[in-house]
Amino acid sequence: MDSQTATPVQTGPDASMAGRLKPDSLGVLGILFFVLSAQAPLTGIAGAVPIAVAIGNGAGAPAAYLAAGVVILLFSVGFVAMGRHVVDAGAFYTYIGKGLGRPAGSGSAGVALFAYCAVQAAMYGLYGATVSGLVEHYSGARVAWWVWALVTMVIVQVLGASGIEMGAKILAVFVLAEFSILIVFALVTLFKGGGPEGLGFTDSFSPSAALTGAPGVALMFAVASMFGFEATAIYGEEAREPRKTVPRATYLSVAVITGFFAFTSWMLISAHGASRATGDAGEALQSGDAAGFVFAPIAALLGGWVGDVLPILLATSLFAGILAFHNSANRYLFSLGREGLLPHRLTAINRRHSPWVAGTVQTVLSVLLVMPFAMLGKDPVLTLFSWFSGVAVLGVMLLYFLTSASVVVFFRRSRADTRPWNTLIAPVLGALGIGGAIWLIVANFTTLIGGDRTTALWLQVTVPAVLILGVVAARLTRSRVETTH
């Protein structure tokens, strides 16, 4: 399962088919921006926190983000250890294949590609609805949400083909803008001593607060907010000194994401008051404007102008996430083409060393996932965004679990790294935590997607179905190759 040994076929002018991505393109901060963009910080805060507070553990929601961060950090130890020995744009499926075998790796490749395309399609739904609302608010013109989604797909395709550095610069602007607003709000609230009931540290972080209500639901949404940090390894081929850059970017990403969500959610609860936060979040959900739970206290503290800026930043936050997942998905397609699991044509790169054919295919997949919802007149937020977000989270958590298992098997077999903590203890603990998170996601999946049980069941079945199809396809491909030779 070593894609580094694959020999690329070079055809066409300018060696544009050379199957290698541009090396030395990204440093720690460049990779960090891609990861944080995939997180879509404002989307995570405005979308997940109100739900975690309202139907989870109330004021104890920030503790759930810390717990999720610990689980992901444990997972990251083994993930980074594997990354020192395997540098490939396929990341997950390459890692899993190294330890659990090529069929398992191929099946996980299908799950990874499905998850990234699903979450990007989900974001197109929320993005289209957000932009449509903004345009109508400021101009009075009513344009269907899917029109904005299609226009943005073209823009994302162009930016993705323009090179990884261009994408990093675009994302940096958007990420800094939304982070700045949220962090300024959180710091001002902190230095002011909190809201009407003070900072309320024990109300959010004490064991009793963390276990109040339904902590499993809050933990589920907290884990979902971590989605995308694993992109650090996907850019290994394009990183400067990947053996140093990728581990640093991974640990820094997990630390920044965990700290950001825990701190910002704590300050939001403090701004409302710990005793009132659950009720306020519930009212926001019932009104159909969950983001109001977040936007209202920020506007009250920083001024009314923020109320106009935040919806725009929500749109740019979603755009940044869409672009980040486009880059991740097309690198999976590129790597699968190089492995021979998909047509080799996917390894084509342009003059800027970007996988333009894989990017084009990924854009087509986005159209195929999004447009049925438009043609059927479905609500882009209640169906497209909610359904695909849920199934994507479930898929990625399965990949985390399989990767942890693969790390243990790989290092027990190869002895390439004999450090017990890095290659056995931390991965096992991470796998146990991730297994618990998967159980919580499955148990609460109907809540996560905001749909009915039948829809939830069909969506859950797609993840193992894709995994099995990938395994079967790999075995058939291997049998065909052996027969040919």
Side-chain angles (χ1 to χ4, degrees):
M1 191 69 186
D2 189 356
S3 61
Q4 296 181 60
T5 62
T7 303
V9 178
Q10 206 167 328
T11 61
D14 304 309
S16 63
M17 292 293 294
R20 181 168 175 78
L21 300 173
K22 186 177 181 181
D24 300 324
S25 301
L26 294 170
V28 173
L29 291 181
I31 296 175
L32 178 63
F33 274 122
F34 272 109
V35 172
L36 296 181
S37 300
Q39 299 296 320
L42 183 56
T43 304
I45 289 293
V49 171
I51 303 175
V53 173
I55 63 177
N57 58 347
Y65 284 99
L66 283 183
V70 170
V71 171
I72 297 301
L73 186 62
L74 288 170
F75 165 80
S76 299
V77 174
F79 186 70
V80 165
M82 181 70 94
R84 293 182 184 278
H85 299 273
V86 182
V87 178
D88 188 273
F92 273 143
Y93 90 83
T94 309
Y95 291 6
I96 293 169
K98 284 289 186 181
L100 303 183
R102 184 184 180 92
S106 300
S108 65
V111 174
L113 183 60
F114 176 61
Y116 283 132
C117 289
V119 75
Q120 191 197 38
M123 296 177 87
Y124 271 122
L126 182 56
Y127 171 85
T130 301
V131 173
S132 180
L134 286 171
V135 171
E136 183 175 357
H137 174 73
Y138 287 106
S139 70
R142 289 190 177 185
V143 181
W145 67 269
W146 55 267
V147 173
W148 298 114
L150 290 177
V151 169
T152 302
M153 287 178 193
V154 175
I155 297 172
V156 167
Q157 171 65 24
V158 171
L159 288 176
S162 296
I164 202 75
E165 304 98 326
M166 174 66 73
K169 291 174 182 176
I170 296 292
L171 294 179
V173 175
F174 292 148
V175 170
L176 286 174
E178 58 188 284
F179 256 97
S180 298
I181 293 285
L182 293 170
I183 289 298
V184 167
F185 159 75
L187 289 175
V188 171
T189 302
L190 176 68
F191 291 133
K192 285 184 62 179
E197 300 172 17
L199 291 173
F201 182 82
T202 56
D203 293 319
S204 290
F205 293 104
S206 67
S208 60
L211 298 175
T212 297
V217 174
L219 181 62
M220 177 181 66
F221 281 100
V223 170
S225 298
M226 302 288 174
F227 194 127
F229 87 93
E230 70 285 343
T232 52
I234 292 175
Y235 298 105
E237 282 190 39
E238 297 155 280
R240 303 185 192 101
E241 298 184 85
R243 291 181 183 274
K244 295 181 180 179
T245 300
V246 172
R248 291 172 183 171
T250 301
Y251 289 131
L252 183 59
S253 297
V254 174
V256 169
I257 293 165
T258 301
F260 170 78
F261 277 104
F263 179 50
T264 305
S265 61
W266 173 33
M267 289 300 99
L268 281 169
I269 288 169
S270 176
H272 283 274
S275 65
R276 297 178 50 191
T278 303
D280 290 350
E283 291 177 6
L285 290 180
Q286 291 177 358
S287 70
D289 181 24
F293 177 78
V294 175
F295 292 174
I298 297 177
L301 183 67
L302 302 181
W305 64 273
V306 177
D308 295 324
V309 172
L310 284 175
I312 297 173
L313 286 180
L314 177 59
T316 61
S317 173
L318 287 161
F319 177 83
I322 286 168
L323 180 56
F325 281 116
H326 171 81
N327 285 325
S328 296
N330 67 28
R331 276 152 182 77
Y332 260 96
L333 287 167
F334 170 88
S335 191
L336 288 170
R338 190 166 58 184
E339 281 284 335
L341 294 172
L342 289 177
H344 187 74
R345 176 71 176 170
L346 290 169
T347 63
I349 55 178
N350 59 20
R351 291 182 176 84
R352 299 187 68 87
H353 290 266
S354 295
W356 70 275
V357 171
T360 302
V361 171
Q362 200 283 318
T363 299
V364 171
L365 290 174
S366 296
V367 174
L368 294 177
L369 289 173
V370 169
M371 289 313 294
F373 289 84
M375 291 186 290
L376 293 173
K378 296 293 186 180
D379 186 290
V381 178
L382 297 181
T383 57
L384 177 56
F385 176 71
S386 297
W387 295 1
F388 280 0
S389 293
V391 77
V393 168
L394 184 59
V396 169
M397 292 307 295
L398 175 61
L399 293 175
Y400 289 174
F401 183 82
L402 292 175
T403 300
S404 293
S406 180
V407 167
V408 174
V409 173
F410 173 76
F411 286 112
R412 298 284 73 73
R413 181 189 299 148
S414 70
R415 311 303 295 175
D417 188 334
T418 57
R419 295 173 296 173
W421 171 253
N422 299 72
T423 63
L424 179 62
I425 299 173
V428 168
L429 292 175
L432 291 174
I434 291 164
I438 291 174
W439 179 83
L440 289 172
I441 290 172
V442 171
N444 297 279
F445 199 74
T446 303
T447 301
L448 179 62
I449 67 165
D452 56 48
R453 290 186 178 181
T454 302
T455 301
L457 179 60
W458 278 108
L459 289 172
Q460 290 177 80
V461 168
T462 59
V463 175
V466 170
L467 179 67
I468 293 170
L469 285 173
V471 171
V472 171
R475 292 190 181 280
L476 291 175
T477 301
R478 182 176 181 181
S479 297
R480 187 165 59 249
V481 172
E482 290 176 350
T483 302
T484 302
H485 288 79

